[in-house]
Amino acid sequence: MTPAQDPFYIVKDEIQDSIDKVQDTFHQWKQTPENTGEYVHLTKELVTSCESVQWQVDELEKAISVAERDPAYYGLNEVEIGKRRNWTSSARNQVVSIRRNVEAGKHKTAFGRSVNPSEQSRSKQHITQDNDDFIASESDQQMLLMKRQDDELDALSASVQRIGGVGLTIHEELIGQEKLLGELSLDMETTSNRLDFVQKRVAMVLKKASLKGQIMMIAFLVVLFVVLFVLVFLT
C-alpha cells in the first residue's frame, strides 16, 4: 500500500496541517500586546487547538498500537512502526511545548495585573474603555472560534470517512481475489477430471485394438487431445 493510500499518512497530513496552524497562531500570540482583547482571544484559541491536536495524536497512537500487535497483517515492519511512533512523539512534544508557553503567559499576565503599580494607577476612564472594547469584540471572536472548531471537526469527520472508505475498498478487493482463486481451482479440477477420463479411455482402447488400429486410434486421440486442450485453455 502506497503512502497516498495508507490511512496513517492521510491522518498524519491532516494533523500536521493543524499543528502548522497552531504554530502560526502561536507566533501571532507572541507578537500581540498583553492585556488586550486579542491576546485573551488568541490564548483561548491556542489552548483549545492544542487540546484538539493532542486528542488526534492520541487516537493515531491507538491505531499504531493495534497495528503493532500484528505488523505483518497490515503490511508493516518494526522500522515503519518505529518511524510512526517517533512522528507522533514529535507532534505531541510540539503541541505540549506551545501549550505550556501559552499557559505560562496566562499566569504571567494575571500576576502582572495584580502587582504592577502602573496597572493599578490607570485611570478609571481607560479601564472602562478597555473593557468596552473587549466586550464589543468578544462576541465576534467567540463566533470565529466556534466556526474554526466546527471546521476542524468537519475535517476530522471527513478523514474518518476516508479511512473507512479505504478499509471497505481493501475488503472488497480481498473478496474479489478470493472469488477468482475459487473459480481457478474449479477450472483446474474440471480439467484434471477430463484428462483422467481421456487417459482411461486410451488405455482401454489400446488393449482391444490391433497394431494398425492402435496407430490410428493414437492419432485420433492426439487430435482429440489437442482439440480439448484448445477448448479448455484457450477459450
Side-chain angles (χ1 to χ4, degrees):
M1 185 180 297
T2 62
Q5 297 174 329
D6 195 322
F8 170 82
Y9 288 102
I10 295 174
V11 177
K12 172 189 171 184
D13 290 341
E14 295 185 356
I15 295 177
Q16 187 61 55
D17 289 340
S18 298
I19 293 175
D20 292 341
K21 292 178 181 177
V22 170
Q23 290 177 336
D24 291 340
T25 304
F26 179 63
H27 292 319
Q28 181 182 356
W29 175 82
K30 290 194 297 183
Q31 297 173 358
T32 302
E34 298 179 1
N35 303 321
T36 62
E38 182 180 3
Y39 183 87
V40 174
H41 165 69
L42 291 175
T43 300
K44 293 180 179 179
E45 180 180 348
L46 280 170
V47 172
T48 302
S49 298
C50 288
E51 290 177 350
S52 176
V53 174
Q54 284 183 271
W55 176 82
Q56 295 178 53
V57 173
D58 288 341
E59 294 300 312
L60 192 58
E61 286 185 337
K62 291 178 182 177
I64 294 174
S65 298
V66 173
E68 194 174 15
R69 297 172 186 170
D70 189 3
Y73 179 81
Y74 296 95
L76 303 174
N77 53 42
E78 293 183 358
V79 175
E80 178 63 20
I81 293 292
K83 290 181 179 178
R84 299 186 179 192
R85 288 287 190 190
N86 291 337
W87 185 88
T88 55
S89 177
S90 175
R92 180 185 298 280
N93 290 337
Q94 293 179 60
V95 176
V96 169
S97 176
I98 292 175
R99 184 170 181 179
R100 286 176 178 173
N101 281 298
V102 172
E103 292 178 345
K106 286 172 58 179
H107 296 319
K108 178 181 177 182
T109 301
F111 179 76
R113 284 200 301 264
S114 63
V115 299
N116 191 345
S118 62
E119 184 77 12
Q120 295 176 355
S121 65
R122 293 177 59 189
S123 67
K124 184 178 296 185
Q125 181 180 358
H126 289 169
I127 295 175
T128 302
Q129 183 64 41
D130 287 343
N131 290 337
D132 290 342
D133 292 341
F134 174 74
I135 293 173
S137 64
E138 183 68 13
S139 178
D140 293 338
Q141 297 291 350
Q142 288 293 337
M143 292 181 64
L144 179 61
L145 179 59
M146 292 177 63
K147 184 178 183 302
R148 290 183 180 179
Q149 291 175 346
D150 289 341
D151 292 341
E152 290 181 358
L153 289 175
D154 291 341
L156 180 60
S157 177
S159 173
V160 173
Q161 290 179 357
R162 283 196 294 271
I163 294 173
V166 171
L168 181 60
T169 300
I170 294 174
H171 178 69
E172 291 176 350
E173 289 179 355
L174 291 175
I175 292 178
Q177 292 177 2
E178 183 179 359
K179 183 178 180 181
L180 289 175
L181 290 175
E183 293 177 353
L184 179 61
S185 176
L186 181 60
D187 290 342
M188 293 294 293
E189 184 178 355
T190 302
T191 302
S192 178
N193 292 336
R194 290 179 180 177
L195 290 176
D196 289 342
F197 174 76
V198 171
Q199 290 176 352
K200 291 179 181 178
R201 297 295 297 176
V202 169
M204 184 181 298
V205 171
L206 288 177
K207 290 181 180 180
K208 297 180 179 180
S210 62
L211 179 61
K212 182 178 180 180
Q214 289 179 0
I215 294 174
M216 294 180 63
M217 184 60 65
I218 291 172
F220 172 75
L221 291 175
V222 168
V223 174
L224 178 61
F225 177 77
V226 172
V227 172
L228 289 174
F229 181 83
V230 171
L231 291 175
V232 172
F233 291 97
L234 301 181
T235 58

